Amino acid sequence: LGPEARFLAGGTELLADLKQQRDHTPQVISLASLSELAEIRVEGDDLWIGAAAKLQDIAESPLVLERFPALPEAILKMAARQIRHRASIGGNFCGGVPSADTPPICIAGGASCEIAGPEGKRAVSAEAFFKGVRKVDLRGGEVLAAIRIPSQGSGSGACYQRFQLRRATALAVAGVAARVLLDGKKIREARLVLGAVAPVPLVAKSASEWLAGRPAVPGSFEEAGRMASAEARPISDLRGSDGFRRGLVETLTARALLDATARAR
């Protein structure tokens, strides 16, 4: 069927888009019978999460809670429980929506995307998977098969912070994912990923690199927040102005780093 068809897993975004005529795809191909795509397992040192795995199942998975608890934290901050029982992590990625909550924390954790298609399998970093608003790195006939998250190791911690205008189903106005690797009282390595403030999940490279070698104290986190705010590329819309979003990034970055550091310790 070529470009005349879309794959469907949970359908919480695609079906809504079809009903509201934001999407005019004439054919929908269900992935429901591909049980392997819903698995959650460990492969080698990686946490392997099938793209069709439901968000609530991921949030409650003992494997995920043990190996990367920041992902369940991000999931439980989004949507309502009923939606999380239907929505898949693959849909949250493949929609390419800037305010999606699972991509930033996965990118912070060094995740990669496993893609399957007519020419076999290939892997891309989760950061490179996103090409623009509602644009992702999937070629004709390809499907996102899994999200792979490497072992985080000892001395590391991660956290996702978001702000929305109301509780429950509201989209993120801004979000920040942080991962740190500590070396004693200093930060050996850090990665900050911003959500809802750029066309794609944005790695705040300058702020992340600046943190390396700095003391793991609130003053460092606050300065990193100011730097991350300057790197953001927000728009102004009915949920907030660009200036409001920059202020949120500054605050959320400091909070995420504080919590990630506490977990690393």
Side-chain angles (χ1 to χ4, degrees):
L1 297 170
E4 295 298 306
R6 294 277 302 278
F7 289 117
L8 179 145
T12 55
E13 289 192 33
L14 178 57
L15 294 182
D17 285 347
L18 289 170
K19 288 177 180 179
Q20 297 179 29
Q21 298 187 335
R22 290 193 296 260
D23 191 306
H24 301 281
T25 300
Q27 304 283 348
V28 175
I29 302 170
S30 173
L31 301 174
S33 64
L34 302 180
S35 58
E36 183 183 357
L37 292 185
E39 292 180 4
I40 301 171
R41 60 178 186 261
V42 175
E43 277 196 0
D45 247 2
D46 294 348
L47 178 62
W48 193 98
I49 303 175
K54 305 305 183 188
L55 293 177
Q56 191 68 32
D57 291 341
I58 298 170
E60 296 174 355
S61 165
L63 280 177
V64 182
L65 287 165
E66 176 189 355
R67 298 176 73 91
F68 196 51
L71 177 55
E73 173 185 58
I75 288 171
L76 293 175
K77 289 179 178 178
M78 62 184 286
R81 188 180 183 90
Q82 295 94 326
I83 296 295
R84 296 196 299 266
H85 271 288
R86 290 289 305 169
S88 66
I89 190 169
N92 205 228
F93 268 65
C94 293
V97 178
S99 58
D101 291 290
T102 58
I105 191 62
C106 288
I107 293 170
S112 61
C113 296
E114 185 177 296
I115 298 167
E119 298 180 4
K121 292 182 179 180
R122 64 187 180 96
V124 299
S125 70
E127 179 185 357
F129 183 71
F130 297 93
K131 299 299 184 184
V133 177
R134 294 184 178 270
K135 295 179 181 179
V136 296
D137 184 12
L138 285 176
R139 303 164 189 165
E142 288 188 329
V143 62
L144 176 63
I147 309 298
R148 301 184 73 113
I149 302 173
S151 174
Q152 301 296 292
S154 61
S156 69
C159 177
Y160 177 70
Q161 294 278 343
R162 84 192 301 259
F163 177 86
Q164 70 276 358
L165 296 180
R166 63 182 189 277
R167 295 181 64 84
T169 58
L171 296 174
V173 180
V176 177
R179 177 187 177 271
V180 299
L181 180 63
L182 294 185
D183 184 4
K185 295 183 179 181
K186 291 187 176 182
I187 299 170
R188 181 192 302 177
E189 180 184 308
R191 197 167 210 214
L192 300 170
V193 186
L194 316 181
V197 292
V200 296
L202 181 67
V203 177
K205 294 182 179 178
S206 295
S208 300
E209 292 172 359
W210 181 86
L211 281 165
R214 304 282 175 177
V217 296
S220 299
F221 307 153
E222 291 163 7
E223 179 59 28
R226 287 188 283 270
M227 295 179 71
S229 174
E231 293 183 71
R233 293 183 281 150
I235 61 170
S236 294
D237 61 14
L238 57 85
R239 291 182 293 134
S241 66
D242 60 344
F244 178 59
R245 283 186 163 98
R246 288 187 187 278
L248 286 174
V249 168
E250 183 174 336
T251 299
L252 295 175
T253 297
R255 289 180 183 174
L257 284 168
L258 186 66
D259 285 354
T261 300
R263 294 168 185 178
R265 286 174 174 154

